[in-house]
Amino acid sequence: MERKYTILAVLLIILALGLVILPKKKEQKEIDPKALLSAVVEKSRYLSVDLVTHRIIENDPTLLLIDLRTADQFKLFALPGAVNIQPDSLLTATTLELMNQPGKDKVLFANSDLISEKAWLIATRSSVNRLYIMKGGMNEWFNTIIKEKPINSAASSSDLDLVSFRNAARQFFVGASETTNTPEKPKVKEKVQVIRKAPEASSGGGC
Amino acid sequence: MIGPIISSGIVSPAWDNIFAVIIGMIMGFALESSGFSSSRKIIGTFFGYDFVVVKVFFTAAIVASIGLLYLSYFGLVDYSQLYIQPTFLTSAIVGGIIMGIGFSMGGFCPGTSLAAIGVGRIDGMVFFGGMFIGVFLFSESFSLFEKMYYSGSQGPKMINEVFGISPELFTFFLVLAAVGMFFGAAWVQKKVKKVEY
């Protein structure tokens, strides 16, 4: 190999080595206040329970569900693939490492939006990207997906599609036999009260 | 344009197409001046008489990696804002095999065939025509391949994460591998009979 190329190769190795031995930056990155404000007012940071459910069912590899409820509540019921993180450990190195995974959509939720909103703000300030809130939390998820609602007879086709998706999702999460359909009542034989006609008075003769 | 200049709000997304044209022209110029418009030069990699393709691509990869990591270190680029193409393992393997066969048979890849057309090479035009037919047939029969196309989805995945090392350390190993390959290619080239083209 020519000498000039050898020099360039050595230079590249030195530069790459420099990357490895440079001291790691210790200061915590914080988002610019203007950028934070713009992110706070942005509605796209909310994901509907239907969308989250759809992504769970599709087994979307880019989805990372972060359940902020208590450990006991998490043990009782958890969404498939969800990770339980307590709000007070949101800024630990392990949690930040988890939330800084590139290419993952981190979706926060608790029972309602209150804790998720606070967690979203703290994590966004710590420069966590692609962070979302499941709008309404687990309460909304349960009311929308698990609880069956009566279908309005005047529902549009898109509403019917949504209902049909929710029914399928309900079966996915709780099983086909566990739907909240009211079981049909066993048929009880109704007693038929026979009202007998009073015997007609015999005619007095023909025409 | 996919990159931190647009997503950081430094440049308006309305400039996307202008950037695409400018970058395309620079890319075309670089390809032509590196000799990539010649199918014989490209095919040299497979026969061992010319390794310019591997050298140029490896150089581009390591210079970009080092540059990006330094710019990120000095706070000039937000590394996390970069768009990472999601990985679809099955289609990547199948597509890679088809691409490799096409590359070695035709002597071009899509970009270099356009560079060849730019300098008026007929083989480049034929290659591009074939590629266009292939794209058309694939699009028309997409439903047949759809399942395979989306299978093996792993989301955006970084290779350093797969190995569990930092991007800096991975880049260092990549540079060592590239430099080793440069010397190896020079050694092979000396052993193989020269081809005039």
Side-chain angles (χ1 to χ4, degrees):
Chain A
M1 213 157 76
E2 283 182 48
R3 192 181 166 153
K4 61 180 178 183
Y5 291 124
T6 310
I7 294 168
L8 282 172
V10 172
L11 188 68
L12 281 169
I13 292 174
I14 293 168
L15 282 169
L17 191 63
L19 283 170
V20 178
I21 57 174
L22 269 175
K24 297 279 168 278
K25 281 184 177 179
K26 280 187 180 167
E27 74 268 28
Q28 178 67 40
K29 278 197 297 174
E30 261 204 31
I31 192 168
D32 174 60
K34 280 184 186 169
L36 180 65
L37 179 66
S38 133
V40 167
V41 295
E42 183 61 59
K43 295 281 179 216
S44 63
R45 70 192 174 101
Y46 294 108
L47 298 182
S48 70
V49 287
D50 288 311
L51 183 65
V52 173
T53 306
H54 181 75
R55 291 177 69 173
I56 293 172
I57 294 170
E58 290 285 309
N59 211 6
D60 186 344
T62 63
L63 183 71
L64 175 62
L65 293 168
I66 298 175
D67 191 333
L68 299 163
R69 296 175 304 153
T70 61
D72 291 339
Q73 288 175 332
F74 184 77
K75 269 182 202 163
L76 277 173
F77 179 78
L79 293 179
V83 183
N84 187 220
I85 292 172
Q86 297 307 304
D88 57 358
S89 62
L90 206 59
L91 294 180
T92 59
T94 326
T95 310
L96 282 175
E97 194 182 343
L98 180 83
M99 293 212 289
N100 278 318
Q101 289 181 72
K104 289 266 185 189
D105 289 338
K106 281 73 68 173
V107 182
L108 302 169
F109 63 92
N111 283 325
S112 67
D113 283 345
L114 196 69
I115 295 171
S116 320
E117 286 282 2
K118 287 178 185 170
W120 183 90
L121 206 62
I122 291 165
T124 306
R125 278 190 68 180
S126 303
S127 295
V128 174
N129 288 312
R130 296 175 71 165
L131 195 62
Y132 302 91
I133 292 173
M134 183 168 80
K135 186 77 184 153
M138 280 304 279
N139 291 340
E140 177 69 15
W141 184 85
F142 190 82
N143 286 331
T144 311
I145 305 294
I146 303 299
K147 264 192 185 173
E148 197 174 357
K149 286 175 187 165
I151 305 167
N152 186 351
S153 56
S156 66
S157 64
S158 61
D159 287 341
L160 289 173
D161 285 346
L162 191 61
V163 169
S164 140
F165 163 73
R166 286 173 181 171
N167 285 340
R170 188 178 308 114
Q171 290 190 6
F172 176 85
F173 287 106
V174 296
S177 58
E178 300 283 328
T179 51
T180 52
N181 281 338
T182 332
E184 278 188 23
K185 285 179 184 172
K187 282 182 182 174
V188 181
K189 275 189 177 177
E190 282 182 28
K191 260 193 172 178
V192 182
Q193 199 180 353
V194 183
I195 303 168
R196 295 193 185 277
K197 267 184 168 182
E200 280 177 0
S202 56
S203 56
C207 304
Chain B
M1 194 173 83
I2 300 165
I5 298 175
I6 300 286
S7 50
S8 309
I10 298 168
V11 176
S12 158
W15 283 82
D16 276 9
N17 291 336
I18 308 289
F19 271 111
V21 170
I22 295 169
I23 292 170
M25 286 167 80
I26 296 169
M27 171 85 174
F29 178 79
L31 286 176
E32 165 56 20
S33 51
S34 312
F36 277 31
S37 58
S38 162
S39 56
R40 287 182 180 180
K41 197 172 185 67
I42 294 171
I43 216 81
T45 304
F46 300 99
F47 292 96
Y49 63 80
D50 196 328
F51 286 95
V52 73
V53 176
V54 190
K55 286 176 189 170
V56 167
F57 280 129
F58 253 105
T59 308
I62 57 177
V63 170
S65 299
I66 293 172
L68 195 59
L69 288 170
Y70 270 107
L71 288 172
S72 169
Y73 187 83
F74 293 114
L76 296 168
V77 164
D78 187 356
Y79 191 71
S80 61
Q81 292 282 317
L82 289 178
Y83 174 75
I84 304 158
Q85 192 75 20
T87 302
F88 293 95
L89 210 55
T90 316
S91 44
I93 293 168
V94 175
I97 292 168
I98 295 169
M99 167 92 180
I101 294 169
F103 204 158
S104 54
M105 282 171 68
F108 291 115
C109 64
T112 54
S113 69
L114 285 167
I117 292 172
V119 293
R121 287 184 183 270
I122 295 165
D123 52 356
M125 294 174 199
V126 173
F127 185 94
F128 186 77
M131 190 174 73
F132 189 80
I133 294 168
V135 169
F136 177 77
L137 291 176
F138 177 75
S139 310
E140 287 301 310
S141 54
F142 182 69
S143 54
L144 296 173
F145 305 108
E146 194 172 0
K147 202 175 171 189
M148 185 267 289
Y149 186 82
Y150 289 114
S151 65
S153 171
Q154 303 197 355
K157 212 166 193 178
M158 302 286 276
I159 195 159
N160 64 292
E161 287 165 10
V162 176
F163 291 126
I165 56 174
S166 68
E168 292 83 6
L169 191 60
F170 178 78
T171 302
F172 177 65
F173 288 137
L174 185 69
V175 170
L176 288 183
V179 170
M181 190 279 303
F182 292 156
F183 281 97
W187 181 78
V188 171
Q189 215 167 317
K190 268 185 191 172
K191 299 274 172 192
V192 174
K193 195 184 166 189
K194 274 196 171 181
V195 173
E196 297 299 328
Y197 51 88

